[in-house]
Amino acid sequence: MGAGLSEIVFEGVTRRFSLPKGGEFLAIDHIDLRVEEKEFVAIVGPSGCGKTTLMRMAAGLDFPTEGRVLVGGAEVRGPGPERAVVFQQFALLPWKTVRENIGFGLMCKATPKAEADAAIAHYVSLMGLSGHEDSFPHQLSGGMQQRVAIARAYVMQPAALLMDEPFGALDAQTRIVMQEELVRLARRNPRTVIFITHAVDEAIYLADRVVVMGRKPGRIIETIDIRPLRAAGTWEALPIEEVMDTPDFTHMRSRIWKLLKAREQERPASP
Amino acid sequence: MTKRHNRNFLGPAGTSLSRGEFWTLTIAGFTLFFAIWSGVAASGWLPPNLLPSPLVVWDTLARLWHQPFAGHVYAEHQLASIRRFLMGWAIAVGIGIPLGLLMGWYRILDEIVTPLFDAIRFVAPLAWVPLAALWFGTGIGGPLLIIFVGSFAPCVISAYRGARLVETRFVEAAQTLGASSRQIMAHVLIPGALPSIIAGLRVSAGLGWQSLVGSELIVVGAGLGYLMVQGQGNLNTSVVIAGMIGIGVVGFAIDVALRAVERAFNRKWGQA
């Protein structure tokens, strides 16, 4: 079997940044990771572990110093609409309405108007944005803005979705609502997803697999398959707060926390 | 660009004036100015032909309105100046804004143009008068060059700065959605730079209009500056002052118009 259309593969990826005062910073050190077709992988780790850099390399917004990043078997050479990105700070264009923001990618590839309008309308209603089509982003709450950003990514029918702490800027209540909605959307419309977060709960709840990263240098500590857990439990049927209270879930959460903590402690104290 | 129009005077910082208070103070300022002018003129400190009283200047203005001076009536001089300004400014805007945007987008262009530009922009518009006269003569070309030189720099700088200040995440978001360079220019850089560009248009119009008198020093024919130079030649101080008033009034009108554009723009897109 050949590479899936949207399989994302990191092959011995290393990324060094040169520092302004001279010298180099090793952000990512020899990472190998394979995200299967339609698999939802969450990457957790402390700030500075290179998780965002990893996502940016899959998006084609950054490039490895060594190694290769392949999407669907082809090396990534730049950004493209088949790999949609949801940014932490939403990155909606402030001078465009909700409708224009969601339709931006469709406009870029000159999708016929009727077809684009139908697709936009579909995601507007799916993301609960009806009635806000003509609002500008600054007129919406953070949660609503992120819905627009997610709709803007999904409407492209991308092979892969890359999300960089998409809920990081939201308050706790909104965050929970969005997590449930994302699960609903992901089950209904499965895609290859890389989801960056530093919230362990979120990673376990959303992902098929959780990749735990440590920093200085950024390396993968462990990769944990969540699917057996989800299959054993009745997560789909329960509200998120109850899922997060099941023994399986709390056990998994403390296991990941221990990994992160152990890694931070064995790290030499000097910078 | 946020609260520039809230003028804070003597009160503690943050107290702003009501519209009525604002106009009262504005009128008080003008009244005081004209009172001092009249007082000094009446004191006989300076001979009346060097400092005519405001009333004499008013009379002169009224006379210039009907009677041609230096070949034309006042409104014709004004129109000639406005037309000359608009042409020079339009050329500066038409070249400066695109150049600034391109400099903000293409690093190489930035590196090439910026040092050159930094060196040239310290040569004041007035210092271009001799060169402008030699190159383009005193017809239409010379004055246009001087107005162009006066308003070009703020056009380039505002567009450049605006494009540079467009947040990277907007450009990256557009790229990941498949936007081409042209689409990024049209849908991200230009709208993102627009607040800065509009502010730059105001500054450049002001500087261009100020360069006008310099340009009209070399004009033969018509214009407010030309009127003033002729007034000076005839030792007619009130004509000189009448010309200055015209320059002030038109300059102020241009600024008011562009401020209205700026406000309308901010209302539409908010301060996102």
Side-chain angles (χ1 to χ4, degrees), chain A residues 81 102-120 155-157, chain B residues 177 183:
Chain A
I102 297 176
F104 186 77
L106 299 174
M107 180 212 72
C108 288
K109 62 175 187 182
T111 307
K113 186 162 173 6
E115 195 184 313
D117 285 347
I120 294 166
V155 81
M156 298 304 290
Q157 302 288 342
Chain B
L177 289 164
Q183 286 166 330

Side-chain angles (χ1 to χ4, degrees), chain A residues 112-242:
Chain A
K113 186 162 173 6
E115 195 184 313
D117 285 347
I120 294 166
H122 174 70
Y123 281 97
V124 161
S125 85
L126 195 63
M127 296 306 292
L129 290 164
S130 303
H132 297 282
E133 293 91 334
D134 297 312
S135 302
F136 286 96
H138 70 97
Q139 297 168 316
L140 303 178
S141 67
M144 294 295 259
Q145 290 188 41
Q146 196 55 298
R147 284 164 205 255
V148 177
I150 292 171
R152 178 174 74 173
Y154 264 93
V155 81
M156 298 304 290
Q157 302 288 342
L161 262 171
L162 309 166
M163 304 195 181
D164 183 17
E165 299 196 35
F167 307 145
L170 304 181
D171 61 78
Q173 285 86 354
T174 313
R175 195 175 175 123
I176 284 180
V177 173
M178 296 296 293
Q179 286 163 347
E180 280 186 321
E181 287 188 9
L182 185 61
V183 162
R184 197 164 50 84
L185 199 59
R187 302 289 173 261
R188 178 176 171 152
N189 204 342
R191 304 269 164 211
T192 308
V193 178
I194 294 183
F195 187 98
I196 307 295
T197 180
H198 56 245
V200 174
D201 277 345
E202 186 169 87
I204 304 170
Y205 180 70
L206 294 173
D208 295 325
R209 268 192 306 155
V210 174
V211 174
V212 184
M213 284 184 73
R215 61 180 164 178
K216 294 188 179 176
R219 280 189 190 137
I220 293 177
I221 304 173
E222 202 168 324
T223 302
I224 301 168
D225 200 336
I226 307 291
R227 277 166 292 203
L229 214 61
R230 180 177 298 117
T234 45
W235 291 15
E236 314 274 319
L238 297 175
I240 182 168
E241 63 279 7
E242 286 178 36

Side-chain angles (χ1 to χ4, degrees), chain B residues 123-138 142 145-146 214-215 217-218:
Chain B
V123 180
L126 216 60
W128 285 79
V129 168
L131 191 63
L134 285 173
W135 281 0
F136 296 105
T138 55
L145 176 67
I146 293 158
S215 83
L217 293 177
I218 61 171

Side-chain angles (χ1 to χ4, degrees), chain A residues 63-82:
Chain A
F63 299 92
T65 316
E66 286 163 35
R68 299 194 302 167
V69 181
L70 305 153
V71 175
E75 195 165 344
V76 173
R77 303 209 178 275
E82 74 290 350

Side-chain angles (χ1 to χ4, degrees), chain B residues 22-96:
Chain B
F22 169 75
W23 281 111
T24 313
L25 287 172
T26 304
I27 292 166
F30 273 101
T31 312
L32 189 69
F33 172 74
F34 283 112
I36 293 175
W37 177 3
S38 306
V40 175
S43 73
W45 230 30
L46 288 165
N49 63 338
L50 283 188
L51 184 67
S53 77
L55 282 176
V56 173
V57 173
W58 180 252
D59 275 351
T60 308
L61 258 174
R63 194 161 38 78
L64 290 174
W65 204 257
H66 306 291
Q67 257 176 46
F69 182 89
H72 300 277
V73 295
Y74 196 77
E76 287 170 345
H77 284 297
Q78 234 171 355
L79 259 177
S81 289
I82 292 171
R83 191 176 303 140
R84 198 169 286 131
F85 158 75
L86 283 178
M87 281 199 273
W89 187 55
I91 298 172
V93 169
I95 299 177

Side-chain angles (χ1 to χ4, degrees), chain B residues 81-156:
Chain B
S81 289
I82 292 171
R83 191 176 303 140
R84 198 169 286 131
F85 158 75
L86 283 178
M87 281 199 273
W89 187 55
I91 298 172
V93 169
I95 299 177
I97 303 280
L99 178 64
L101 287 170
L102 289 171
M103 280 165 64
W105 185 230
Y106 295 106
R107 195 54 179 269
I108 292 186
L109 195 63
D110 183 11
E111 311 274 337
I112 296 172
V113 178
T114 303
L116 192 69
F117 194 69
D118 279 341
I120 293 177
R121 75 193 164 103
F122 288 104
V123 180
L126 216 60
W128 285 79
V129 168
L131 191 63
L134 285 173
W135 281 0
F136 296 105
T138 55
I140 192 87
L144 282 190
L145 176 67
I146 293 158
I147 297 168
F148 172 83
V149 167
S151 45
F152 185 63
C155 289
V156 177

